[in-house]
Amino acid sequence: MVRAEGRATPENKNGNENEYIAEFRDVTFVYNKGVTYETKAVDSVNLKIRRGLITGIIGATGSGKSTLIQMLNGLIKPDSGEVLIDSENILSKDVKLKKIRFKVGLVMQYPEYQLFDETVESDIAFGPRNMGLSEEEIKRRVESGARFAGLDFSLLKKSPFDLSGGQKRRAAIAGVMAMEPELLVLDEPAAGLDPAARREILGKIRDYRKERGTSVVMVSHSMEDMARYCDRIVVMNQGRVCMDDTPPKVFGSSEELFSAGLDVPGITKVAYELQKLGIDIGRDIYTVKYAADMLCEKYGLKASAENF
Amino acid sequence: MNFDIAFGQYCEGNSILHRLDPRAKIISALIFIVDIFIAKSVWAFLLLTVFSLMTAAASRIKARVILKGLRPIIFIMVFTGIVNIFWFKGERLLVDFWFIHIYLEGIINALLIMLRVILLLMGTSVILTYTTTPLSLTDGLEQLLSPLSKIKVPVHEFSLMMTIALRFIPTLVEETTKIMNAQKARGADFSEGSLVKRAKALVPILVPLFASAIRRADELAVAMECRCYRGGVGKTKMNVLKASLSDAACVLVFILLGVAVVLINKFASGFRIGI
Ligand SMILES: Nc1ncnc2c1ncn2[C@@H]1O[C@H](COP(=O)(O)OP(=O)(O)O)[C@@H](O)[C@H]1O
Ligand SMILES: [Mg+2]
């Protein structure tokens, strides 16, 4: 795709400022400040989001993931600290938040409850229309959004209220993808879906990233999903970032994950047990495919685990 | 948008007022409203003010919370106050300019009217809403009105409706914030443009909001049926309300307050409120 040209890709890591699309600098946020039920949802977070990668944010329920990502487009304003998009403080007076919101596309948790328009098509067009694009461009974007989100074109003329749960979710994601943001942020995009729909939606997000070179931030508490789809993983625990590393490193440090109220992927546990039994394929196993490859390698087998 | 719903919100606590029977508090609040409206003399107002402040202190609710609850009515208060200043005709003329005549009595009268509104809101919210959970409030109301069910007034159904409505207000507020944020993330703008444009901007909020309210109602109905809800007939209560001596004492205090107000009105000299 033409638009992806000139964007930094994962291969093109040139240690300059351009390497990061977003940055949190010592960000703190407290809900209900000054009232009895004060909650420190985000606590002095320093974090850099790499351009062109899929960054996963994991953490137990209530660890502040949703709060953190809503700061990326200024929906929540930090009590202290700075949020930078493309090295630009989004809260400074001369930055228009609306522009930031087109640059940072946010899909909130359970987005299917935000559909409102008469047809799926016009609902997807809501974002692009707010951007003030031409009708042709809007049409192009609705179609590309629907295609990227895996939404069948025959559904575009239907009412969003007539779709199934999974289709609604896709329509909502398409609505944000159609804005063609530089940074796509998704809050638990696969929560509450069946495994097939889960895999498909997450696969679509990965394809979208591959084709458009968009940077992606994705929240989930499914270790398996994160292991499979993310290039970087950020672990949150009680409002703080306690790890920010590659999947093997993160899933290799099980003690820290456990203390953050999390778990390791099922296959990692299998690797631990194998290790106990004397079959050592390392502890940084986090996908079934990798585990199978390592086992094959260990026993000199050729069969590759293409099916995983 | 800022959803300030401090007025009508319960504040956790364990003061005397928190522990009173909701029925006693409802009756007391009603008597207090009557007390305020029969007050005429400045001295009666002074008494009511002192009494309200003492009640507020007894509730142990932070002054800041109470003041915050008064914020929504500031505009109305100032407006009625100013209108009153211009309309009131008294004896001591302070300003006499073209068609504007302001009398000292007008100013005092306006202040008293504002005071009355403040006392009304502060008194009822301290006696009732700040110190009584919505649930026990509706419970008390249901019990007080239960004699009406003899003449076929669906008291139980009304109280159930009120309980449910109260239960869902915070949920709906939260939901509205969420939906607004989601549409803002797609570039929606609720604060710019003409009136028509702004009204149109509400559609993306209202449609999902209604859809979810209906969905919730549906789910609630199913959940209630699953638990064999069959209306109020023959229903027993988990927490049975028991009135005690202190409840009777509370009502008595408010009645005596009214008596005092009447006596002051009758015998005290000084300024009297005009409206
Ligand atoms: N609107 C809100 N009002 C008050 N507290 C909130 C609100 N949203 C979240 N919180 C609190 O902030 C903390 C972090 O919440 P959240 O960011 O939603 O976590 P996560 O997405 O990781 O589950 C939790 O303790 C939660 O109870
Ligand atoms: Mg969340």
Side-chain angles (χ1 to χ4, degrees), chain B residues 145-159:
Chain B
L145 296 179
S146 64
L148 288 180
S149 60
K150 296 240 162 50
I151 54 164
K152 297 256 159 45
V153 179
V155 173
H156 171 76
E157 280 72 16
F158 278 140
S159 107

Side-chain angles (χ1 to χ4, degrees), chain A residues 116-298:
Chain A
F116 69 94
D117 224 327
E118 277 167 64
T119 64
V120 174
E121 189 173 21
S122 52
D123 204 291
I124 298 177
F126 183 66
R129 192 152 281 141
N130 285 333
M131 297 171 85
L133 301 169
S134 70
E135 282 303 314
E136 291 151 54
E137 178 66 7
I138 290 176
K139 196 164 159 32
R140 182 190 76 71
R141 291 199 175 198
V142 168
E143 279 175 11
S144 88
R147 186 167 59 79
F148 276 127
L151 196 67
D152 203 88
F153 280 6
S154 65
L155 298 175
L156 287 181
K157 296 282 177 219
K158 278 195 166 183
S159 158
F161 295 100
D162 290 339
L163 304 186
S164 76
Q167 288 167 336
K168 276 188 200 166
R169 180 78 57 91
R170 267 174 236 190
I173 294 177
V176 175
M177 282 179 167
M179 290 161 55
E180 306 198 339
E182 281 177 45
L183 174 62
L184 180 64
V185 185
L186 304 111
D187 197 350
E188 312 220 5
L193 296 181
D194 60 89
R198 253 186 121 77
R199 255 200 308 272
E200 194 180 338
I201 283 190
L202 294 174
K204 287 287 174 193
I205 293 167
R206 181 164 60 184
D207 296 346
Y208 179 77
R209 205 273 310 185
K210 223 179 247 168
E211 239 177 274
R212 297 204 60 251
T214 310
S215 318
V216 177
V217 170
M218 185 155 87
V219 170
S220 169
H221 44 229
S222 157
M223 299 302 128
E224 272 81 7
D225 290 346
M226 285 294 167
R228 226 181 145 106
Y229 296 99
C230 297
D231 307 306
R232 296 279 305 184
I233 290 189
V234 174
V235 183
M236 288 197 69
N237 186 12
Q238 294 180 358
R240 286 170 176 273
V241 167
C242 65
M243 263 193 272
D244 171 17
D245 222 319
T246 56
K249 289 258 175 56
V250 168
F251 292 121
S253 18
S254 52
E255 285 77 19
E256 274 154 74
L257 285 177
F258 290 140
S259 74
L262 293 169
D263 211 344
V264 293
I267 191 66
T268 311
K269 282 189 192 155
V270 172
Y272 288 1
E273 294 303 319
L274 283 176
Q275 200 177 31
K276 275 190 210 156
L277 294 173
I279 305 167
D280 192 359
I281 53 170
R283 293 188 117 210
D284 58 348
I285 305 289
Y286 62 98
T287 63
V288 178
K289 183 174 173 359
Y290 186 60
D293 283 346
M294 291 304 281
L295 275 172
C296 289
E297 192 179 301
K298 187 172 174 72

Side-chain angles (χ1 to χ4, degrees), chain A residues 69-101:
Chain A
I69 60 164
Q70 283 179 63
M71 292 193 211
L72 282 172
N73 68 353
L75 281 178
I76 292 180
K77 298 186 176 71
D79 289 323
S80 66
E82 290 177 349
V83 180
L84 283 76
I85 300 291
D86 273 335
S87 316
E88 179 182 49
N89 184 353
I90 63 167
L91 298 168
S92 74
K93 284 206 181 64
D94 37 277
V95 173
K96 278 220 151 189
L97 267 184
K98 217 166 160 178
K99 287 241 169 63
I100 296 293
R101 285 176 189 159

